[in-house]
Amino acid sequence: MLEAIVTFIGISVIVLLWVILYDSNRFVVRKYAVRDKRIKKRCRAVVIADLHNKRYGKNNERLLAAIREQQPDFVLIAGDIITAKPGHGLEPAIGLLRELSRDYLVYYGNGNHEYRLKLYTRVYGDMAESYAKALAEMGIEPLVNAHVYLGEYGLAVYGAEIDKFYYKRLKTVEMKPDYLPGLLGQAPGDMYTVLLAHNPDYFPQYAAWGADLTLSGHVHGGVARVPFWGKGVISPTLRLFPEYDGGIFRADGAVMVLSRGLGTHTIPVRVFNPGELWVVDWEPEER
């Protein structure tokens, strides 16, 4: 009996290690489609979140091939393409973005790691300055509480960089109703509004502000997902089984596409939780 138990545990450990190795080095492509009367022309975006300097193949060739296969009209970044760690290079992210910027317009919303570089220069030195310079050379200007109107398509793309106060461990602090309008102004009702907002915990507030579609990341799918149940285990705020862990969520007519991200950082594994590359299609609805 004891021998059988030991054998079972040994096999289980081997299987788990294989799953970790497999899931930590692959990604899947997921799609979401929008039909809306405000959309003027069909278009497609690839959404990248939480790359954290991860490489899929030499020079990210596997990831680039998957993006190009989707033939997007533009690329949307939902934050944390880099990892804020003193002495760590930024080249994997810069190299990927350089390749993408040659073929596509890139609209970049910051995550907490990009924000951290700017906030703590004593810790990170000139990393924020170096990264900003590299992005500028590619023609990428992050949407830091700013927006662009893609009038050809009937889209407005906003980027929200919320304060570090809203990234508290163990709890979600209150976000007052006037906070987002103070950062972003008012959402345009006559255009379909996309909000790049890295932290998904405030999806109800994003929807109330006027975001038709919020694109988020940050949670990494909960690091590990429970088989069959499919729920993510832990969030970066150290909350077990977070409400917003990955996938599509709805509130008051608004939608959030929450990417499980492409990379890792503090907990450098994925279990039953491969990376995700999201594709969003917009098309006009008959009036």
Side-chain angles (χ1 to χ4, degrees):
M1 182 66 177
L2 179 59
E3 183 179 345
I5 292 173
V6 171
T7 300
F8 174 77
I9 291 173
I11 292 173
S12 298
V13 169
I14 291 171
V15 170
L16 180 61
L17 290 174
W18 182 87
V19 169
I20 289 173
L21 183 63
Y22 183 53
D23 279 353
S24 298
N25 291 284
R26 71 183 181 107
F27 62 91
V28 296
V29 177
R30 304 197 189 281
K31 296 185 178 182
Y32 177 70
V34 176
R35 295 187 67 191
D36 191 274
K37 293 179 179 179
R38 292 165 292 178
I39 301 300
K40 296 180 179 179
K41 180 181 176 182
R42 179 178 297 178
C43 58
R44 166 174 284 190
V46 162
V47 182
I48 302 173
D50 297 285
L51 183 67
H52 288 292
N53 279 326
K54 172 78 174 176
R55 284 190 175 100
Y56 287 96
K58 184 179 180 181
N59 299 320
N60 257 315
E61 57 190 12
R62 285 167 49 206
L63 181 55
L64 283 166
I67 291 170
R68 288 168 176 151
E69 184 179 351
Q70 299 304 319
Q71 299 182 319
D73 296 288
F74 48 91
V75 174
L76 297 174
I77 306 288
D80 281 7
I81 302 306
I82 52 92
T83 296
K85 191 171 184 180
H88 262 225
L90 301 170
E91 182 50 40
I94 290 172
L96 175 70
L97 292 169
R98 186 180 293 119
E99 288 297 316
L100 292 176
S101 66
R102 289 171 178 160
D103 298 321
Y104 314 106
L105 290 171
V106 178
Y107 302 105
Y108 196 129
N110 281 348
N112 57 303
H113 279 252
E114 288 93 351
Y115 182 38
R116 198 181 300 167
L117 290 186
K118 299 185 296 180
L119 201 60
Y120 302 110
T121 54
R122 287 186 179 181
V123 176
Y124 301 110
D126 66 350
M127 289 178 71
E129 184 179 349
S130 298
Y131 192 50
K133 181 179 178 181
L135 292 180
E137 289 173 353
M138 302 174 209
I140 299 173
E141 182 177 356
L143 296 172
V144 180
N145 300 321
H147 63 272
V148 293
Y149 293 138
L150 307 183
E152 176 184 2
Y153 303 115
L155 289 175
V157 180
Y158 282 71
E161 184 179 81
I162 60 177
D163 191 85
K164 66 175 182 176
F165 175 75
Y166 296 102
Y167 285 92
K168 295 283 188 182
R169 294 285 175 89
L170 302 176
K171 63 178 181 179
T172 301
V173 300
E174 180 187 4
M175 179 181 283
K176 294 184 178 180
D178 61 349
Y179 180 73
L180 287 174
L183 286 182
L184 302 170
Q186 189 54 54
D190 60 340
M191 302 184 79
Y192 188 93
T193 300
V194 179
L195 180 63
L196 306 174
H198 185 66
N199 188 343
D201 286 344
Y202 296 95
F203 173 47
Q205 288 82 355
Y206 304 148
W209 169 74
D212 296 298
L213 175 64
T214 297
L215 301 175
S216 295
H218 189 53
V219 184
H220 300 184
V223 181
R225 300 186 75 81
V226 180
F228 306 108
W229 185 23
K231 192 67 179 169
V233 173
I234 191 168
S235 76
T237 56
L238 304 180
R239 282 179 290 130
L240 293 175
F241 306 112
E243 178 182 3
Y244 301 122
D245 57 350
I248 297 173
F249 299 87
R250 292 178 170 83
D252 299 325
V255 173
M256 176 172 67
V257 171
L258 173 53
S259 173
R260 298 177 192 170
L262 287 158
T264 61
H265 59 95
T266 305
I267 305 175
V269 298
R270 288 177 171 270
V271 187
F272 303 112
N273 180 35
E276 288 185 338
L277 180 70
W278 275 89
V279 178
V280 180
D281 287 297
W282 290 269
E283 61 178 273
E285 186 177 70
E286 291 185 7
R287 297 175 186 271

